[in-house]
Amino acid sequence: MWRKLFVVPAVVLFSSLFFSEAHVSYDSRGISINGQKKILISGSIHYPRSTPEMWPDLIQKAKDGGVDVIQTYVFWNGHEPEPDDYYFEGRYDLVKFIKLVQQAGLYVHLRVGPYACAEWNFGGFPIWLKYVPGISFRTDNGPFKAAMQKFTTKIVSMMKAEKLYETQGGPIILSQIENEYGPVEWELGDPAKNYVQWAAKMAVDLGTGVPWIMCKQDDAPDPIINTCNGFYCDYFYPNKPFKPKIWTEAWTGWFTEFGGAVPYRPVEDMAFSVAKFFQTGGSYVNYYMFHGGTNFGRTAGGPFIATSYDYDAPIDEFGLLRQPKWGHLRDLHRAIKLCEPALLYGDHKVMTLGSSQEAHVYQTESGACAAFLANYDQKSFATLSFWNGKHNLPPWSISILPDCKNVVYNTAMIGAQTTQMKMTTVSKDFSWNSYFEETAFHHGNLFSVVGLVEQINITRDNTDYLWYSTEVVIDSSEGFLKGGKWPVLTVLSAGHALHVFVNGELAGTAYGRLEEPRLTFSNGVNLKAGVNQIELLSIAVGLPNVGTHFETWNAGVLGPVSLSGLNEGKRDLAWQKWTYQIGLKGEFLSLHTVTGSSSVEWMEGSSVGRGQPLTWYKTTFNAPDGDEPLALDMNTMSKGQIWINGQSIGRYWNEFKASGNCAACNYAGWFDEKKCLRNCGEASQRWYHVPRSWLRPSGNLIAVFEEWGGDPSGISLVKRQVDSVCADIHEWQPTLVNWQLLSSGKVNKPLRPKAHLSCSAGQKISNIKFASFGTPQGSCQNYREGSCHAFHSYDVFQRYCVGQESCTVPITLEIFGGDPCPGVMKKLAVEAICS
């Protein structure tokens, strides 16, 4: 094997410190930056999934949440949409994004790939790559390796030119080559093994001066670090003893697909998995995602991936804190950093404390000590005896003791507030105009051939839409014309959705789903004697982003196509003459732009079509006051696309209702993407993010293309804001502040926690909906009193909180008028309304 030392002499000014030599290195215990070994907390923020105006706030919120590193993919198809035609502006201004991270005092992990996956269209590959002669993706193939090396070198050279590697004084401390290739290698065999060796050597030879990683790649060649992705990675260890244990994707939730329920991951389990990773020697964890953002335009992959990429991340799609996830993880990061000296330099011992309980202890010769007490039982509390102390742990939880004596944090005991959000209407009753997209062909992007064609070969993914049109001649002697059953038209398609028109009328629709994008349309159709026009609108809903042999993937109507129930039996339509039109007339005319929309005559007032397929709608609105995030409520529409001032928000598909099991979800026990779900029976996504930076003060154009038929009068512009805030805290719940006071010697008795409630800026607490100190039941927005209740509970919060933007209430017996039930472990539950 070949090696390179990741040390490059340089003079660096970073985080206000001077170093005579800048370098990034690693050993089995962690990453060292300029000679200082660190426990690193990282969070994924993908720059194209938010706007440049959002970036500084997102980065700061990540930093405030305890993040040290921002991790991002590089999106090849966004940066090189055509060969040698590079784009690094707007949402794709990678250099600007990295420099903003540096200005915030954080590091960067740059996942060059250049394969991303990421539920991104075509996995991040540019579509033109599919048509390079002789290409075979992600294997030992000359044309693919040449293109991959060229783009990787382009990105590395750009980073070097901007002095963005840590060895140059920049923030980039890690890079990634390839992505989750292990399963592909297993399938492809020896050519894939050769490709891994080539990719690793190619990357290291670029001389970045910082380590490279490969995730989900057990045979990553030295000095590449192999890393783990998953819901849990405590079990993982790198392939060599001198490499650190790194978790590149700790999944904070899961993506949403059209037609699927919305997954969420309880923060208790998220924290449990991260604590378990660090207790077994982990040194770097990255939350995928820390902010998921939005699949603007046609960037969503899958197929069938929703426009929202919220991912149940600590910062939501709109850039607001998701509480308690953000706050509980922030507290976890603080607790882990208190353990840093012991974790990085201490000897590790494991002690069995019960059938499902254990302790992980790290202790240095100099006296640093940290312990993790774990209760793996999914149903029962456990009382653990450890170092002359007793500790009560909830099910499926880990307590962290940064001094091996006092608990500062438990993964299942949340001290952060819970925030309930609401969508408030700010504009509705828009004055809509409509324009009907005719099925007949009207522009130059058309041609005719005998037989069926593959969709992406023709559209080159410049549009979701491809029309297939043919004629069917029906003799007047056909039996069905005399009162029999209509003939059945059967169409098989590789996906992803299909609208069938017969003589200009919608005859039906069919569509696949993420697990099976292929579809079959088979319906009776109303044909007349003579010439009938069969028109098929084939629709792509994002290109696949994961798998092997990208060059072979296809979409569209590939057949067979047949008509049965005729006098002759079945007629094969696949091999007759078909005419094709690329895209929609409205796309050709750019009806989604101010200039293009003026090129046709629109219907107004009572003439505006409702419930009609293939309809364009437009209206204008003024930007609302304030700075709250905005969205369009599309609940009365069916399927299509949305633009604001010519910029695409993305696809919507409200008619495809979410399926799944949305039963109550307990945090305890192993998590997977189907365990905890919301929105069953509803639209997978109802609200579509409208970035404020896309708006002008007045006259903003909304353009909508509706495929199936919807009611635009129900569309409204909403703002996202805090509805209520809750706290649910046990009377002896450990906190970092209390531990610091005790360890400093400033106090010598146990301290009770405090409840912290905070509305968003510009809001105040207007009312206390619920408050109970005792044994309250339920959860936020659904609390109820238990058998024990302090009668002054409401009074305390009325006095401390009403009229304030935020408030802090100590959870003491005195403040609530005494002990309402001696001998019983009590807690506080409170919900305050923000307005």
Side-chain angles (χ1 to χ4, degrees):
M1 292 295 178
W2 30 268
R3 291 203 180 182
K4 286 199 173 184
L5 183 64
F6 298 109
V7 181
V8 175
V11 178
V12 180
L13 174 60
F14 188 74
S15 297
S16 302
L17 295 176
F18 286 96
F19 299 95
S20 59
E21 185 180 74
H23 63 275
V24 182
S25 60
Y26 64 79
D27 61 19
S28 62
R29 301 301 285 271
I31 302 290
S32 294
I33 303 170
N34 301 315
Q36 184 179 357
K37 196 174 298 180
K38 296 175 179 286
I39 293 289
L40 292 170
I41 308 296
S42 175
S44 286
I45 299 176
H46 295 161
Y47 52 99
R49 283 178 158 142
S50 54
T51 64
E53 292 78 9
M54 295 172 66
W55 292 345
D57 184 61
L58 295 174
I59 294 165
Q60 187 60 48
K61 284 174 177 172
K63 181 179 182 179
D64 293 343
V67 165
D68 307 300
V69 184
I70 299 297
Q71 180 171 293
T72 184
Y73 285 118
V74 176
F75 296 87
W76 188 356
N77 53 10
H79 292 303
E80 194 179 5
E82 298 294 338
D84 298 317
D85 180 15
Y86 295 104
Y87 183 77
F88 290 92
E89 299 175 17
R91 299 196 332 271
Y92 293 93
D93 193 339
L94 175 60
V95 168
K96 178 178 180 178
F97 179 76
I98 293 175
K99 287 183 176 181
L100 286 171
V101 175
Q102 182 179 23
Q103 289 171 18
L106 301 181
Y107 301 113
V108 171
H109 179 190
L110 191 65
R111 305 177 80 182
V112 180
Y115 166 64
C117 185
E119 291 71 59
W120 189 264
N121 193 51
F122 211 46
F125 288 127
I127 196 66
W128 56 261
L129 197 64
K130 187 175 189 281
Y131 303 102
V132 172
I135 199 163
S136 183
F137 281 56
R138 303 179 73 201
T139 190
D140 191 10
N141 171 265
F144 178 79
K145 291 192 297 184
M148 174 178 170
Q149 183 169 5
K150 181 179 178 183
F151 182 74
T152 302
T153 303
K154 170 78 175 179
I155 295 300
V156 169
S157 298
M158 179 180 290
M159 299 302 104
K160 287 182 177 179
E162 297 289 340
K163 295 182 168 33
L164 293 177
Y165 287 104
E166 171 65 22
T167 49
Q168 302 173 294
I172 302 174
I173 59 169
L174 289 171
S175 289
Q176 178 178 303
I177 194 68
E178 249 298 335
N179 184 50
E180 297 184 324
Y181 191 70
V184 177
E185 179 183 8
W186 182 86
E187 187 171 341
L188 298 183
D190 288 341
K193 294 181 185 296
N194 295 337
Y195 167 69
V196 168
Q197 295 289 327
W198 168 85
K201 185 176 188 304
M202 181 269 290
V204 174
D205 283 348
L206 291 172
T208 63
V210 304
W212 288 84
I213 67 123
M214 285 181 163
C215 62
K216 296 178 73 171
Q217 191 67 50
D218 292 342
D219 63 350
D222 300 340
I224 305 290
I225 307 168
N226 63 303
T227 66
C228 184
N229 294 358
F231 290 116
Y232 306 91
C233 278
D234 54 282
Y235 64 88
F236 166 82
Y237 288 93
N239 61 16
K240 293 291 175 63
F242 58 81
K243 297 179 182 179
K245 180 171 176 172
I246 293 177
W247 190 359
T248 32
E249 291 188 15
W251 298 331
T252 56
W254 200 245
F255 57 82
T256 299
E257 62 180 276
F258 287 126
V262 179
Y264 66 96
R265 186 176 189 182
V267 68
E268 299 96 326
D269 180 69
M270 185 78 248
F272 173 82
S273 69
V274 173
K276 197 176 183 188
F277 176 73
F278 281 108
Q279 78 175 11
T280 53
S283 63
Y284 174 112
V285 65
N286 175 75
Y287 293 97
Y288 187 100
M289 301 292 295
F290 207 81
H291 165 71
T294 305
N295 293 317
F296 294 114
R298 300 172 50 255
T299 59
F304 298 95
I305 298 300
T307 295
S308 171
Y309 200 66
D310 181 84
Y311 223 88
D312 198 41
I315 304 173
D316 73 15
E317 176 185 3
F318 301 91
L320 302 178
L321 300 184
R322 171 170 279 112
Q323 296 280 35
K325 183 168 276 189
W326 182 89
H328 193 48
L329 294 177
R330 173 204 57 197
D331 295 343
L332 169 65
H333 304 152
R334 291 172 175 174
I336 289 170
K337 287 303 180 79
L338 291 173
C339 304
E340 188 172 43
L343 288 173
L344 293 175
Y345 299 103
D347 293 329
H348 178 205
K349 296 180 180 179
V350 182
M351 302 168 55
T352 301
L353 302 178
S355 60
S356 299
Q357 295 79 31
E358 66 183 13
H360 288 256
V361 182
Y362 290 82
Q363 195 166 13
T364 67
E365 293 182 359
S366 61
C369 187
F372 294 74
L373 307 184
N375 177 20
Y376 303 133
D377 194 298
Q378 298 182 21
K379 297 181 179 179
S380 302
F381 277 75
T383 300
L384 307 184
S385 297
F386 175 76
W387 280 28
N388 300 320
K390 289 191 178 296
H391 304 277
N392 194 35
L393 272 69
W396 198 255
S397 75
I398 295 173
S399 287
I400 299 176
L401 294 71
D403 56 3
C404 287
K405 298 176 184 178
N406 299 292
V407 175
V408 70
Y409 181 90
N410 178 272
T411 58
M413 301 177 72
I414 299 173
Q417 74 175 26
T418 295
T419 302
Q420 299 292 337
M421 308 302 294
K422 64 180 178 181
M423 293 300 206
T424 304
T425 300
V426 293
S427 296
K428 62 178 182 178
D429 299 326
F430 297 113
S431 179
W432 290 98
N433 297 342
S434 65
Y435 174 81
F436 294 110
E437 174 87 21
E438 299 176 32
T439 58
F441 298 157
H442 286 283
H443 63 78
N445 290 333
L446 64 101
F447 62 95
S448 297
V449 296
V450 173
L452 301 168
V453 300
E454 194 278 329
Q455 181 167 341
I456 307 305
N457 285 345
I458 304 304
T459 66
R460 297 298 170 106
D461 198 36
N462 288 311
T463 173
D464 282 353
Y465 305 102
L466 179 65
W467 282 102
Y468 295 67
S469 178
T470 193
E471 293 181 349
V472 173
V473 178
I474 297 297
D475 192 271
S476 59
S477 64
E478 286 289 348
F480 76 86
L481 294 173
K482 300 177 176 62
K485 291 184 178 180
W486 287 353
V488 174
L489 177 65
T490 300
V491 181
L492 272 65
S493 170
H496 310 126
L498 183 72
H499 301 313
V500 178
F501 295 85
V502 176
N503 297 323
E505 298 293 326
L506 181 63
T509 292
Y511 47 91
R513 60 184 313 123
L514 177 61
E515 295 80 10
E516 180 48 80
R518 294 175 297 182
L519 61 93
T520 299
F521 173 89
S522 189
N523 279 1
V525 291
N526 185 13
L527 300 178
K528 63 184 181 181
V531 177
N532 294 264
Q533 198 72 28
I534 305 294
E535 292 161 315
L536 312 177
L537 181 58
S538 180
I539 306 159
V541 192
L543 302 186
N545 53 265
V546 63
T548 59
H549 296 298
F550 280 54
E551 70 278 0
T552 66
W553 296 352
N554 51 39
V557 180
L558 302 181
V561 179
S562 63
L563 192 63
S564 59
L566 304 176
N567 291 350
E568 67 199 74
K570 180 188 291 186
R571 184 183 302 180
D572 182 4
L573 305 182
W575 288 102
Q576 60 185 47
K577 180 182 176 182
W578 289 82
T579 299
Y580 298 92
Q581 176 176 273
I582 300 170
L584 305 169
K585 179 182 179 183
E587 290 180 306
F588 182 74
L589 297 174
S590 297
L591 295 186
H592 61 282
T593 67
V594 173
T595 302
S597 65
S598 63
S599 64
V600 299
E601 192 167 329
W602 295 75
M603 306 296 287
E604 300 178 359
S606 60
S607 300
V608 170
R610 290 177 174 82
Q612 298 296 315
L614 304 187
T615 305
W616 291 84
Y617 297 100
K618 73 169 184 175
T619 191
T620 58
F621 70 99
N622 296 334
D625 295 333
D627 59 2
E628 299 95 338
L630 301 174
L632 282 176
D633 183 347
M634 300 294 291
N635 207 40
T636 61
M637 303 300 282
S638 296
K639 181 183 185 298
Q641 298 184 39
I642 318 166
W643 295 263
I644 298 288
N645 291 330
Q647 298 195 70
S648 176
I649 287 179
R651 304 180 182 98
Y652 69 89
W653 198 346
N654 291 52
E655 191 65 26
F656 199 173
K657 303 303 182 185
S659 61
N661 179 8
C662 290
C665 180
N666 188 342
Y667 79 87
W670 299 105
F671 180 83
D672 62 37
E673 67 274 16
K674 295 183 180 179
K675 179 180 179 181
C676 303
L677 301 172
R678 296 189 178 103
N679 282 34
C680 291
E682 303 174 13
S684 301
Q685 181 179 349
R686 175 175 177 175
W687 293 288
Y688 293 80
H689 183 201
V690 178
R692 278 191 177 265
S693 59
W694 291 9
L695 302 183
R696 299 184 291 265
S698 61
N700 296 284
L701 174 67
I702 304 176
V704 176
F705 176 64
E706 170 59 49
E707 297 173 15
W708 288 9
D711 183 2
S713 66
I715 297 175
S716 61
L717 184 70
V718 300
K719 62 181 179 181
R720 186 168 176 84
Q721 58 185 170
V722 175
D723 184 16
S724 66
V725 292
C726 300
D728 193 328
I729 303 174
H730 291 269
E731 62 176 330
W732 292 111
Q733 189 159 315
T735 70
L736 174 64
V737 172
N738 288 352
W739 177 84
Q740 289 173 326
L741 289 172
L742 288 167
S743 62
S744 69
K746 294 179 179 179
V747 296
N748 56 8
K749 63 179 182 179
L751 296 172
R752 293 176 179 264
K754 297 177 180 179
H756 302 274
L757 298 175
S758 181
C759 298
S760 60
Q763 290 184 312
K764 291 185 178 180
I765 296 172
S766 59
N767 182 38
I768 304 302
K769 180 179 177 181
F770 179 90
S772 179
F773 176 65
T775 56
Q777 306 295 311
S779 58
C780 187
Q781 291 194 317
N782 292 291
Y783 288 128
R784 61 186 183 277
E785 292 181 9
S787 57
C788 171
H789 169 70
F791 294 106
H792 291 293
S793 300
Y794 278 88
D795 298 338
V796 170
F797 284 92
Q798 288 282 354
R799 184 169 70 252
Y800 277 80
C801 299
V802 171
Q804 305 298 315
E805 181 179 308
S806 61
C807 63
T808 300
V809 177
I811 305 175
T812 64
L813 298 178
E814 296 77 16
I815 201 170
F816 291 105
D819 192 338
C821 41
V824 175
M825 179 63 75
K826 292 166 283 296
K827 72 171 187 175
L828 167 73
V830 59
E831 180 176 5
I833 304 299
C834 296
S835 59

